[in-house]
Amino acid sequence: MAHQDSSAQREESTTLIRTKLNRPRLGGDLVPRPRLLTQLECNPQRKLTLVSAPAGYGKTTLLVQWLRDCSHPSAGWLSLDEGDSHPAVFLSYFIAAVRTAFPDACPATEMLLHAPQPPPLDHLATVLINELTKFPETLILILDDFQYIRDLSVHGLLNRILRYLPDQVHLVIATRT
């Protein structure tokens, strides 16, 4: 019986809210921001773009507008919240966001993540990084509202991923802090 409870808890913790993977819609009353849009243009040497501003300054709107106009069609979106500040939950959503662009991506990472005894985070990061190298084209992955991720192990995991991020993956983090 205890095994079923543990399995049910693991399943519940990895159930994803699919709407968090959708880009927000743009309103009709956009303020043009050509200078910021130009700054966001993809640079192949850049692994990370950080968009940081207080609440209400239009970070999300700017990124949605940029993706709409960007010449790279493969993009994933993840709207983060307080419940995502746990390594397994964060990685589950990260993989799901990648899969909105590449549906068959990261099967080994997902399998390890859902194993009865998941491996250490460094190993999960290594497997994920190796799987990200297999993309046939550039992927832009946006993590919106990153200020909600407070768990230092998630920050460490993301640091490791960023350190070895393949050239064809461009990560964009939007945050208030």
Side-chain angles (χ1 to χ4, degrees), residues 31-133:
V31 175
R33 295 179 165 182
R35 184 182 62 80
L36 292 176
L37 289 170
T38 299
Q39 287 183 332
L40 282 172
E41 285 306 312
C42 290
N43 177 346
Q45 279 67 37
R46 190 181 328 150
K47 292 181 180 185
L48 172 67
T49 297
L50 179 65
V51 179
S52 179
Y57 274 61
K59 299 175 295 294
T60 300
T61 302
L62 176 69
L63 291 173
V64 172
Q65 187 177 7
W66 173 59
L67 283 181
R68 181 190 68 190
D69 300 339
C70 190
S71 61
H72 298 285
S74 296
W77 186 281
L78 174 53
S79 296
L80 296 162
D81 62 37
E82 298 89 350
D84 304 325
S85 194
H86 181 277
V89 175
F90 178 82
L91 269 177
S92 293
Y93 273 112
F94 188 98
I95 292 168
V98 167
R99 285 182 173 172
T100 61
F102 299 107
D104 298 324
C106 308
T109 306
E110 183 177 48
M111 183 185 71
L112 289 172
L113 187 60
H114 298 298
Q117 185 64 34
L121 289 179
D122 279 352
H123 182 72
L124 280 168
T126 299
V127 173
L128 176 63
I129 292 161
N130 289 337
E131 289 186 304
L132 295 176
T133 65

Side-chain angles (χ1 to χ4, degrees), residues 97-168:
V98 167
R99 285 182 173 172
T100 61
F102 299 107
D104 298 324
C106 308
T109 306
E110 183 177 48
M111 183 185 71
L112 289 172
L113 187 60
H114 298 298
Q117 185 64 34
L121 289 179
D122 279 352
H123 182 72
L124 280 168
T126 299
V127 173
L128 176 63
I129 292 161
N130 289 337
E131 289 186 304
L132 295 176
T133 65
K134 298 176 184 177
F135 296 156
E137 60 190 50
T138 299
L139 169 69
I140 297 169
L141 183 60
I142 295 181
L143 304 178
D144 194 21
D145 286 329
F146 194 78
Q147 71 274 1
Y148 291 119
I149 304 301
R150 303 237 186 247
D151 188 317
L152 293 181
S153 62
V154 176
H155 286 257
L157 172 72
L158 193 58
N159 282 336
R160 181 165 176 80
I161 292 168
L162 276 168
R163 183 174 184 187
Y164 300 104
L165 197 65
D167 292 338
Q168 69 267 35

